[in-house]
């Protein structure tokens, strides 16, 4: 072999080794488990909190009193091949059951209880509520919609969840245990009932290959197959193949979440550049005078009375959003960008009265948070929770009984 050929082989070896390590990491483990958990907690808190806030007006927004009638909703869903269980019946009890179930599922996924099943049910709930009245909502609802789809493909319960606690305390029930099997059977029965009873009509749960039924049955069959192989042949190749498939799906979903977040900021930033108000630096001034976006009139008046801060905020918003997709992958600059994004969304939540939009975007931004920061945050929350638990147990402890001898 010539010296030139030897140098070529030596130069290619590190690249080959790097690709092999990357491929092993991609197929052998679920990356960014803490980031996935943070996205899960934020999105479920956003959706569940929104449903609780709108509880008094739920029937007018998504129920039998909605301006977007049941017939219009069915026509649009059939045309768009979309999905919503709320249109299966116009009875009030059905709406109340689905709306309440959406709140319960959001809470269970927030806590990380049976995340594999709850993430799919959460997807069903988000699609059902939002697709019932498509003209209601803002950009935050679109983010929740997208993240609910992506979370269904992630292993978002590996940390900071009741599932992780169960695996740590009861390793023999790491596959879900008897309760997991019963939940799997119940969901299969409900899916079969919706599929074959005729209640899921008008093409919203078609038996065809390219339909939501394929997605839901796929989730159900893969979950059952994973459990069965774990019982019969936990160390075999079929189970290892399903584990690798799950890791790859998780990693791809996390990558899509990151790409989607970058796309959101890029499109928002470049769209602002084309606007004359943003070019003149006065775009932030006008929402401060709209009563619909004015929860704190005094604060809005103070900000609007100072043109220089308004000018700086307007241009700063555009610069940060346009730069985000290009600089977020730089380790040091990324942290600065994330701090600026947190400040921006907190300002939107307070000054414009859009807390759920801000929470949805901050939840999506969590995919970029450093692991070290999340570990310190988790440790801090754990210490505070243990301290609070100790105080509560100390207060509720029964007083010692005084006997006659004492």
């Amino acid at each position: 072999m010539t010296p030139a050929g030897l140098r070529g082989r030596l130069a290619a070896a590190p690249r080959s080794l790097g690709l092999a390590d990357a491929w092993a990491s991609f197929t052998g483990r679920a990356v960014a488990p803490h980031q996935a958990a943070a996205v899960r907690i934020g999105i479920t808190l956003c959706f569940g909190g929104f449903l609780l806030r709108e509880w008094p007006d739920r029937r007018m927004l998504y129920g039998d009193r909605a301006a977007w009638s049941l017939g219009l909703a069915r026509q649009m869903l059939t045309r768009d091949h979309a999905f919503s269980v709320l249109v299966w019946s116009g009875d009030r009890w059905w709406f109340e059951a689905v709306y309440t179930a959406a709140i319960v599922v959001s809470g269970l996924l927030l806590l990380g209880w049976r995340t594999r099943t709850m993430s799919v049910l959460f997807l069903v709930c988000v699609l059902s509520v939002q697709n019932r009245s498509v003209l209601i909502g803002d950009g935050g609802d679109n983010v929740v919609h997208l993240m609910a789809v992506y979370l269904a493909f992630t292993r978002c319960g590996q940390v900071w969840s009741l599932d992780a606690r169960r695996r740590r305390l009861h390793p023999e029930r790491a596959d879900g245990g008897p309760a997991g099997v019963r939940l799997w059977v119940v969901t299969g029965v409900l899916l079969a009932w919706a599929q074959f009873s005729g209640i899921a009509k008008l093409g919203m749960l078609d038996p065809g290959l390219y339909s939501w039924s394929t997605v839901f049955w796929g989730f159900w069959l893969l979950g059952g197959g994973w459990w069965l192989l774990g019982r019969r042949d936990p160390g075999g190749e079929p189970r290892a193949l399903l584990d690798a498939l799950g890791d790859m799906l998780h990693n791809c979903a996390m990558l899509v979440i990151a790409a989607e977040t970058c796309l959101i900021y890029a499109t928002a930033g470049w769209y602002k550049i084309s606007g004359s108000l943003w070019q003149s630096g006065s775009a932030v001034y006008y929402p401060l005078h709209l009563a619909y976006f004015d929860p704190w009139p005094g604060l809005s008046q103070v900000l609007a009375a100072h043109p220089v801060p308004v000018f700086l905020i307007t241009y700063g918003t555009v610069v940060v959003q346009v730069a985000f997709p290009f600089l977020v992958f730089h380790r040091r600059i990324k942290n600065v960008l994330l701090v600026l994004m947190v400040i921006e969304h907190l300002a939107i939540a307070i000054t414009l009265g859009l807390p759920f939009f801000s929470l949805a975007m901050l939840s999506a931004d969590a995919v970029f948070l450093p692991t070290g920061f999340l570990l310190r945050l988790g440790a801090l929350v754990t210490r505070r929770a243990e301290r609070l638990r100790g105080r509560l147990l100390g207060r509720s402890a029964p007083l010692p009984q005084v006997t006659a001898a004492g």
Side-chain angles (χ1 to χ4, degrees):
M1 179 180 292
T2 63
L6 179 60
R7 287 195 297 269
R9 290 283 297 275
L10 292 176
R15 291 196 295 269
S16 300
L17 183 60
L19 291 175
D21 292 341
W23 176 253
S25 178
F26 178 70
T27 60
R29 67 184 182 93
V31 300
H34 293 85
Q35 287 80 356
V39 175
R40 182 200 84 225
I41 293 171
I43 292 298
T44 53
L45 184 62
C46 179
F47 185 68
F50 173 79
L51 295 181
L52 289 175
R53 189 192 70 173
E54 302 299 340
W55 180 268
D57 303 319
R58 63 192 184 280
R59 293 178 63 189
M60 290 183 289
L61 293 175
Y62 305 105
D64 54 315
R65 297 180 179 177
W68 190 254
S69 67
L70 191 63
L72 291 175
R74 286 174 173 173
Q75 292 179 23
M76 177 166 286
L77 292 175
T78 302
R79 185 194 66 185
D80 297 340
H81 302 283
F83 173 78
S84 174
V85 301
L86 281 176
V87 302
W88 291 357
S89 174
D91 296 333
R92 181 182 176 183
W93 71 268
W94 177 255
F95 164 74
E96 298 288 358
V98 173
Y99 196 92
T100 305
I103 297 175
V104 173
V105 169
S106 299
L108 293 176
L109 184 57
L110 171 66
L111 297 175
W113 184 80
R114 311 290 175 179
T115 51
R116 180 68 271 138
T117 301
M118 289 301 124
S119 61
V120 179
L121 293 180
F122 181 73
L123 168 62
V124 172
C125 293
V126 170
L127 294 178
S128 298
V129 173
Q130 293 188 353
N131 289 342
R132 171 59 183 87
S133 297
V134 294
L135 300 182
I136 297 177
D138 52 26
D141 297 299
N142 295 333
V143 175
V144 172
H145 192 118
L146 294 171
M147 296 302 149
V149 176
Y150 304 148
L151 280 176
F153 294 91
T154 65
R155 291 181 167 177
C156 55
Q158 289 191 326
V159 297
W160 298 345
S161 65
L162 295 178
D163 288 348
R165 181 177 182 272
R166 185 186 68 250
R167 287 191 293 267
R168 184 177 66 253
L169 299 179
H170 305 282
E172 70 280 1
R173 292 190 291 168
D175 59 353
V181 176
R182 289 192 290 269
L183 183 61
W184 180 80
V185 172
V186 170
T187 53
V189 171
L190 292 176
L191 183 57
W193 169 72
Q195 179 78 63
F196 303 111
S197 67
I199 188 174
K201 50 185 179 297
L202 296 177
M204 288 161 286
L205 200 59
D206 289 333
L209 180 61
Y210 302 102
S211 66
W212 282 106
S213 62
T214 304
V215 176
F216 297 141
W217 281 116
F219 279 124
W220 188 79
L221 291 174
L222 286 175
W226 180 85
W227 177 87
L228 183 62
L229 291 174
R231 287 288 180 172
R232 294 190 173 183
D233 190 14
E237 291 186 359
R239 173 61 184 264
L241 177 62
L242 285 183
D243 286 335
L245 177 62
D247 290 335
M248 287 189 290
L249 286 175
H250 167 90
N251 297 335
C252 289
M254 294 300 293
L255 179 62
V256 171
I257 291 175
E260 186 71 45
T261 305
C262 291
L263 183 62
I264 290 173
Y265 284 125
T267 54
W270 287 105
Y271 184 80
K272 289 180 174 63
I273 288 178
S274 63
S276 58
L277 295 180
W278 290 96
Q279 293 175 4
S280 63
S282 60
V284 175
Y285 174 83
Y286 295 97
L288 296 175
H289 292 80
L290 297 177
Y292 186 79
F293 299 105
D294 195 13
W296 309 98
L299 179 60
S300 299
Q301 292 175 3
V302 170
L303 289 176
H306 297 80
V308 174
V310 171
F311 178 84
L312 295 177
I313 292 173
T314 302
Y315 273 96
T317 300
V318 176
V319 171
V320 171
Q321 290 184 352
V322 172
F324 188 89
F326 303 100
L327 301 178
V328 73
F329 298 101
H330 189 282
R331 179 171 298 181
R332 295 183 178 179
I333 300 179
K334 176 187 71 173
N335 297 332
V336 177
L337 283 177
L338 290 175
V339 171
L340 293 176
M341 285 301 178
V342 170
I343 296 175
E344 175 186 334
H345 290 303
L346 288 178
I348 292 174
I350 296 173
T351 59
L352 300 182
L354 298 172
F356 294 108
F357 166 78
S358 298
L359 180 56
M361 288 305 306
L362 290 174
S363 302
D365 293 343
V367 73
F368 297 108
L369 291 176
T371 302
F373 169 77
L374 291 174
L375 290 175
R376 291 192 295 270
L377 180 61
L380 176 62
V381 173
T382 300
R383 289 195 300 268
R384 294 291 179 88
E386 291 178 350
R387 189 178 305 172
L388 179 61
R389 180 173 178 269
R391 291 178 180 177
L392 295 176
L393 291 178
R395 292 178 181 178
S396 60
L399 295 175
Q401 296 182 357
V402 180
T403 61

